[in-house]
Amino acid sequence: MTPLDPACGYSDGDVDTNDTTTPSLETLADNRFSRRQTIMGGAKATGMALMGTAMLTACDDDDTGSDAGIIVNAGTNAATSAGRVVTLTGTVVAGSASSTTWTQTDGPDVELTLDGTTATFLAPAVEEATDLEFTFAATTSDGTEREAVTYVRVSPAVLGFTAVEHSLADTVVVPTGYSVTVMTRLGDPLTAATSAYANDGTDTDFANRIGDHADALHYFGLSAAGAPDDMANTRGLMVQNHENITEEYLHPAGPTTIGGARPLDEVRKEIECHGVSVAEYVDSGNRTWSYVQDSSFNRRITPNTPMTLSGPAAGSAWMRTAYSANGTSGRGTINNCANGISAWHTNLTCEENWAGYFRRDSGDDANRTPAQLTSLQRYGVRSTSGNYRWSSASTTDTTITRWNATIMGADATEDFRNEPFQFGWVVEIDPYDPTSTPRKRTALGRFGHEGAFVRAVAGQPVGAYMGDDSRGEYLYKYVSNANWNAGDADNADRLAVGDKYLDHGTLYVARFNADGTGEWLPLVFGQVPPRPASGSYPAYTFADQADILINPRLAADALGATPMDRPEWTAGNPVTGEIYLTLTNSNNSNRPVDGTNAANPRSYWNAGNPNGHIVRLREDGDTTAARTFAWDIYMFGADTLDCDTAFEQTNINISDLDTSNDFSSPDGAYFSRESAVSGQFNPVFWIQTDDGAMTDVTNCMMLAAMPGTVGDGNAFTVTNTDGAQTTTQGTHVGALATPASLRRFLVGPVECEITGVDMTPDGRTLFVGIQHPGERGDAGNVTSHWPESQTNASATSRPRSAVVAITKDDGGVIAL
C-alpha cells in the first residue's frame, strides 16, 4: 500500500476509529505539541504497538520539486532492557533524500552511533520502565526536511544470557553470543628485550615475564596521556596477582634435587614466578584486545622487590632482620591471592598462605621466646623444609637464605628469624608509577589475607573488609581515623594518600550473633584481654599495639570472634553498601555436626561444609564506622545432583539451586562497576569457584547473580547429621535462588580455578583469571593444554594460567 498525505485523501493509520478523546499524534504535531506527552499519557498502554512512522508529504501547488513526495519511516516502536544494544533503522519510503540523520529527542541521554539510515545505542540503566524518543530526519536536495519519530521503552536490567551447562571440556565455555580472547599468560614477556615464552621448562628471567597462577586482577584505566582515568574503556593497566606456581611445568622434567639441595636456578625461577604483574592492555577497536609487550608501565613485583613497612608495626622488634636492622623495610610479597582497590587509584595486594614458605629447623622451638613460639604455631610457621625447599639451595644470597627462619645469629639483625613476621600483610602498589616502592600497611593486620574490599564514602571513614582464608578464622574490618575526602582521589602522590587513610585507624574483628545481628570488636591495646591457654597454646598477653597487629588471630581468639568456614573474598554492593563474604568450605574436624553456629550452620556427609556459602552484612546506619550490623546467608552452595533425597534437598540445597545455577566452594566475589549499566540500581554480582567437591561433573565456574538485600528471606532451622548424631542449627537465609536471579555464566578448563574478575568502566569487556589449569598433571602427563586448547582441539602444549577478555558479540553489556 502506498502511503499518501492525509490532505490528499489518504490517512496513514491516523484515522478516527478510536472513540477516546485523546488527540491523535498528527493532530498534536500540527499543533506543535509533544508526541511524548501522548505516549506517556493516555496512549502509554499501547505506545509500544504503534508504528514510529510519519509519512509527511506535501501536495500543495507550491511544492513541485522532484523530491516533493518524500516519505520517511522511523520503524516500529520497541521495548528492551538496560544494557542491551538497540538498533534504529530509518527508511525513506518514497522520494529521494540527499541526507539522513537520527537524533534523540527525549528520555535519558544515550550515545548514538550513526551509520547511514541506522543508529545504534546502549540502553541506559533505569530504575523503572522509561521511554526514549528518537527522530529520524531526511533532507531533500532542495532543503525540504521530513521527520519521523519512534520510541524505545527501556526496562530495568535483567540477566540476559542462557545459562552455561556443566562442562568438563578443556576450554573456557561462555554463553552463546559471547567471545573469549586469551590475554596475558604465564611467561609472556613484559619488555621488548625479553624473548617469547618457549613453554618447555627452559625459560628464565621471570622478573620480566608474567608470573604463574593468575589470581585477583584489576583494570586501571589510562588516558591518552597516561594518567589515571576511571572512565577509560580502551586503554588500561591490568594488575594481577600470582598466587603460587605449578612447579612441575616450570622445569623441563619437573623440579629436581641434587644431593638434598634444590638447584639455585630452579629456585630463582620459582621465586620470581610469584608476586604481582602490571601489563598495559589496549583495545584496537570494537573490543579487540591485546597487551603491549614494551609498555613503559609494565612491571613485575616479585618476592625480591624492595618494600617499605608502614603503620604501627613498622620498626617493631618483631620486624627486625639482617636485611632491615630497624624493622622498617623488607623484600617482596608472596602468595598474593585476592585484592582491594583504593579510591585513590592504588592496588592492594593481599598475602595469603605465606606461612608455609618458611623453614624452621627442629631445634628452633627451644630458642624462641614464648610469645614468638605461640605466634609461629598459631600462624602455621612449622615446616622443617618450607614450600619447594628454596632455602636448601647452596648459596649465600640472602634472597634465598631468608626463607630459612631458624635462629642462627646472636640477635635478630644477624639472621632471618623474624622474616615470617614481615609477611601476611596488605601491600599497597601504585600501578601508574613503575618506580614507586610498595608499602606494607601494617595497620590492617597480619593474617592469611584473602582480599581487602575498600569502601570510601564522602564524609565517612575509609573501611576495608578482609577475610582470613583458613578454616575457623575470622572476618576483619579496618576503619580509618580520617574521613574520606573525595578530593584525595586525584592526588598525584597516591601512596601518600594511602599513608593518610591506611596507616592510622582501628582494626576490628566480627562476632555474628544468633539473632541475625553482629558486632565489630576492636583490636586495640588495652581493650583486648590476655588470650587464655587453649590446647597446645599457652596464655598470651599482648605487649603493645604492634603486638596485636602482628598477631590479630590471637587477639581475635581472646575477644571471642566467630570462627568462619574459610573466609575468602569480600565484595561490596555499590548501591546498598552491603558487604558479601564468600566462605569457601570447611571439613568435619573444623565443622562437625555439634560445632556449627548461626553464620556457619551446615555440617553434612561427615565432611563438614564441603560446598560452602556466602554471608552478607549491612552496617547499622550504612556507615563504615558502625560497630554493629545485620547479617544473613545470601546463598548456600550445593551439588544438586547429589541432593537426591528430601532431607538433602531441604538441609543441604537450602537455596533451592538447580543444574543451571548450582555451585560449590565460592571463592572470588565481585560486583559490576557502578559506572557500568550492570552496576546500577540492582548490580550484577559475580561468584567464582575453587572447588573439589563437584569436579566429577563440572570444572570450576563463574556465575552471575542479581541479589536482593539483607533480610529478604526468612529464619531457617538446619538439621545436620553425620549418621550417628543429629543436631539442629538456627540461621537466617536470604531469598531463594531462581534462574532469573542466579545462573552460570562461565565454566573453565580442566583442573583450573576461576579467580580474578574485573571489567572496563562501560561493562562491555569482562576480564577473568584462569588459574592453574591441569594442576594435577606433570611434564610427563600433561592433563590440560589450555589456553592453546581454547582454539586448537589438537593442542599438545603445557598449560598456562592466563587472563581472558570476554565480550558480547553485539557489543552489549556483559550478562545483560
Side-chain angles (χ1 to χ4, degrees):
M1 183 183 301
T2 302
L4 299 174
D5 185 80
C8 300
Y10 176 76
S11 170
D12 63 357
D14 186 25
V15 294
D16 296 329
T17 58
N18 187 331
D19 61 359
T20 70
T21 58
T22 303
S24 69
L25 289 177
E26 293 307 320
T27 301
L28 289 171
D30 289 343
N31 289 286
R32 305 178 64 84
F33 278 63
S34 165
R35 289 183 175 89
R36 184 175 185 274
Q37 290 175 356
T38 299
I39 289 293
M40 292 298 193
K44 186 170 183 179
T46 57
M48 292 303 105
L50 297 173
M51 296 295 292
T53 304
M55 290 169 278
L56 303 176
T57 59
C59 57
D60 57 87
D61 294 340
D62 294 332
D63 197 347
T64 58
S66 62
D67 297 315
I70 187 170
I71 304 171
V72 295
N73 185 315
T76 306
N77 294 333
T80 189
S81 58
R84 299 186 182 177
V85 173
V86 179
T87 299
L88 305 173
T89 302
T91 306
V92 179
V93 178
S96 178
S98 61
S99 64
T100 59
T101 191
W102 279 96
T103 56
Q104 182 181 4
T105 44
D106 209 346
D109 289 343
V110 299
E111 182 178 348
L112 290 175
T113 300
L114 303 178
D115 184 10
T117 59
T118 66
T120 58
F121 67 92
L122 193 68
V126 295
E127 192 168 11
E128 60 183 10
T130 303
D131 289 340
L132 282 63
E133 180 185 84
F134 300 92
T135 298
F136 175 65
T139 304
T140 66
S141 59
D142 64 1
T144 301
E145 184 176 86
R146 297 292 184 253
E147 295 181 346
V149 172
T150 192
Y151 299 87
V152 177
R153 178 161 293 165
V154 180
S155 295
V158 294
L159 297 179
F161 62 91
T162 300
V164 171
E165 297 180 353
H166 294 158
S167 172
L168 293 171
D170 197 25
T171 59
V172 174
V173 182
V174 293
T176 301
Y178 287 81
S179 296
V180 175
T181 300
V182 177
M183 298 296 293
T184 40
R185 305 158 295 178
L186 162 67
D188 278 345
L190 288 172
T191 71
T194 306
S195 62
Y197 192 58
N199 196 25
D200 60 4
T202 63
D203 298 282
T204 59
D205 190 22
F206 277 87
N208 290 304
R209 298 183 184 276
I210 295 291
D212 205 354
H213 281 216
D215 209 291
L217 53 84
H218 189 79
Y219 170 89
F220 287 86
L222 273 174
S223 70
D229 184 353
D230 281 342
M231 298 306 294
N233 291 302
T234 60
R235 184 189 182 199
L237 302 177
M238 182 56 64
V239 180
Q240 183 180 28
N241 289 342
H242 301 293
E243 180 183 8
N244 207 334
I245 59 174
T246 305
E247 63 173 349
E248 295 291 341
Y249 297 129
L250 287 178
H251 311 294
T256 60
T257 301
I258 302 172
R262 291 292 313 283
L264 183 59
D265 287 345
E266 288 187 7
V267 169
R268 285 204 172 107
K269 179 189 295 190
E270 293 174 8
I271 291 173
E272 289 177 349
C273 276
H274 288 74
V276 178
S277 66
V278 181
E280 182 175 344
Y281 280 20
V282 294
D283 169 15
S284 59
N286 295 319
R287 289 160 292 283
T288 303
W289 288 95
S290 61
Y291 91 100
V292 183
Q293 178 178 337
D294 60 350
S295 170
S296 61
F297 289 101
N298 290 353
R299 184 183 188 186
R300 275 304 315 280
I301 296 168
T302 76
N304 298 328
T305 301
M307 302 269 163
T308 297
L309 301 177
S310 188
S316 165
W318 292 71
M319 309 293 271
R320 297 171 188 165
T321 69
Y323 178 79
S324 178
N326 63 3
T328 60
S329 61
R331 285 174 292 186
T333 183
I334 201 164
N335 207 259
N336 304 83
C337 202
N339 61 357
I341 309 304
S342 76
W344 49 96
H345 313 296
T346 60
N347 185 80
L348 305 181
T349 185
C350 299
E351 299 174 337
E352 188 195 24
N353 293 315
W354 48 271
Y357 288 85
F358 292 97
R359 161 186 166 189
R360 290 178 57 235
D361 294 343
S362 58
D364 190 58
D365 282 5
N367 296 321
R368 295 282 179 173
T369 65
Q372 282 208 346
L373 183 58
T374 298
S375 175
L376 292 166
Q377 290 175 338
R378 180 67 176 83
Y379 279 79
V381 187
R382 303 167 180 158
S383 174
T384 56
S385 61
N387 295 351
Y388 312 116
R389 303 182 65 236
W390 289 342
S391 66
S392 70
S394 179
T395 181
T396 58
D397 183 349
T398 61
T399 65
I400 310 297
T401 61
R402 68 187 174 125
W403 300 105
N404 185 350
T406 303
I407 293 177
M408 298 177 182
D411 60 40
T413 64
E414 295 184 4
D415 56 31
F416 292 98
R417 69 186 71 180
N418 287 341
E419 193 74 3
F421 304 118
Q422 291 216 347
F423 289 86
W425 303 103
V426 172
V427 184
E428 186 174 20
I429 298 168
D430 182 351
Y432 296 101
D433 183 0
T435 67
S436 59
T437 300
R439 298 183 189 175
K440 296 199 172 189
R441 299 296 185 185
T442 66
L444 276 65
R446 171 180 164 270
F447 42 88
H449 281 278
E450 177 71 25
F453 172 75
V454 176
R455 186 176 182 221
V457 178
Q460 293 185 19
V462 171
Y465 297 81
M466 303 167 287
D468 184 354
D469 184 10
S470 214
R471 294 185 177 108
E473 294 301 341
Y474 307 114
L475 171 66
Y476 296 86
K477 175 177 76 168
Y478 166 83
V479 179
S480 67
N481 290 344
N483 289 340
W484 171 240
N485 178 355
D488 287 334
D490 297 321
N491 191 321
D493 192 345
R494 287 171 282 275
L495 292 178
V497 178
D499 293 342
K500 175 180 177 180
Y501 293 106
L502 300 181
D503 280 350
H504 310 282
T506 302
L507 185 65
Y508 297 87
V509 67
R511 176 188 291 152
F512 292 81
N513 300 322
D515 62 358
T517 66
E519 51 196 308
W520 293 108
L521 311 174
L523 299 175
V524 175
F525 182 65
Q527 299 180 42
V528 179
R531 182 189 184 278
S534 175
S536 61
Y537 301 121
Y540 191 97
T541 300
F542 298 94
D544 51 27
Q545 186 62 28
D547 189 352
I548 288 176
L549 294 173
I550 292 168
N551 296 293
R553 284 183 177 176
L554 292 169
D557 294 344
L559 288 170
T562 302
M564 309 293 283
D565 289 350
R566 278 192 69 191
E568 297 237 19
W569 287 48
T570 49
N573 185 318
V575 173
T576 67
E578 293 177 350
I579 305 298
Y580 286 63
L581 169 68
T582 55
L583 298 164
T584 293
N585 55 45
S586 193
N587 55 26
N588 201 48
S589 61
N590 282 276
R591 192 64 67 196
V593 294
D594 60 353
T596 60
N597 57 56
N600 304 269
R602 290 189 305 177
S603 180
Y604 48 99
W605 294 335
N606 288 309
N609 178 23
N611 298 132
H613 59 289
I614 303 171
V615 167
R616 63 185 170 185
L617 63 89
R618 186 159 192 162
E619 300 277 29
D620 289 345
D622 291 329
T623 172
T624 54
R627 294 286 296 272
T628 54
F629 56 88
W631 68 269
D632 67 8
I633 296 178
Y634 160 63
M635 199 66 62
F636 290 88
D639 180 351
T640 60
L641 297 178
D642 274 349
C643 293
D644 49 12
T645 69
F647 177 86
E648 291 170 330
Q649 184 64 26
T650 300
N651 295 286
I652 297 176
N653 189 17
I654 298 171
S655 294
D656 200 28
L657 307 179
D658 60 33
T659 55
S660 73
N661 56 22
D662 58 352
F663 67 93
S664 177
S665 298
D667 189 337
Y670 170 80
F671 275 93
S672 292
R673 291 194 182 208
E674 57 187 320
S675 56
V677 173
S678 54
Q680 300 174 44
F681 298 116
N682 188 13
V684 175
F685 178 52
W686 299 90
I687 303 167
Q688 300 178 313
T689 69
D690 179 14
D691 184 39
M694 285 180 64
T695 49
D696 58 328
V697 296
T698 185
N699 300 333
C700 284
M701 65 185 71
M702 184 167 74
L703 304 96
M706 301 193 82
T709 58
V710 172
D712 62 11
N714 299 287
F716 185 79
T717 299
V718 185
T719 299
N720 294 304
T721 183
D722 60 7
Q725 183 181 11
T726 298
T727 62
T728 59
Q729 175 65 64
T731 189
H732 305 272
V733 176
L736 300 182
T738 69
S741 64
L742 177 70
R743 63 184 72 165
R744 189 177 302 106
F745 178 82
L746 173 154
V747 179
V750 172
E751 296 172 6
C752 80
E753 172 187 349
I754 307 298
T755 182
V757 54
D758 193 21
M759 60 179 53
T760 49
D762 61 7
R764 299 167 90 165
T765 299
L766 186 73
F767 300 105
V768 178
I770 309 298
Q771 186 181 121
H772 60 63
E775 68 168 337
R776 291 191 285 276
D778 56 44
N781 177 35
V782 179
T783 54
S784 169
H785 304 292
W786 194 86
E788 185 183 352
S789 60
Q790 188 69 31
T791 54
N792 178 9
S794 302
T796 60
S797 62
R798 296 183 181 194
R800 301 161 72 179
S801 295
V803 176
V804 296
I806 299 171
T807 54
K808 200 172 181 180
D809 295 346
D810 67 2
V813 173
I814 305 298
L816 302 184

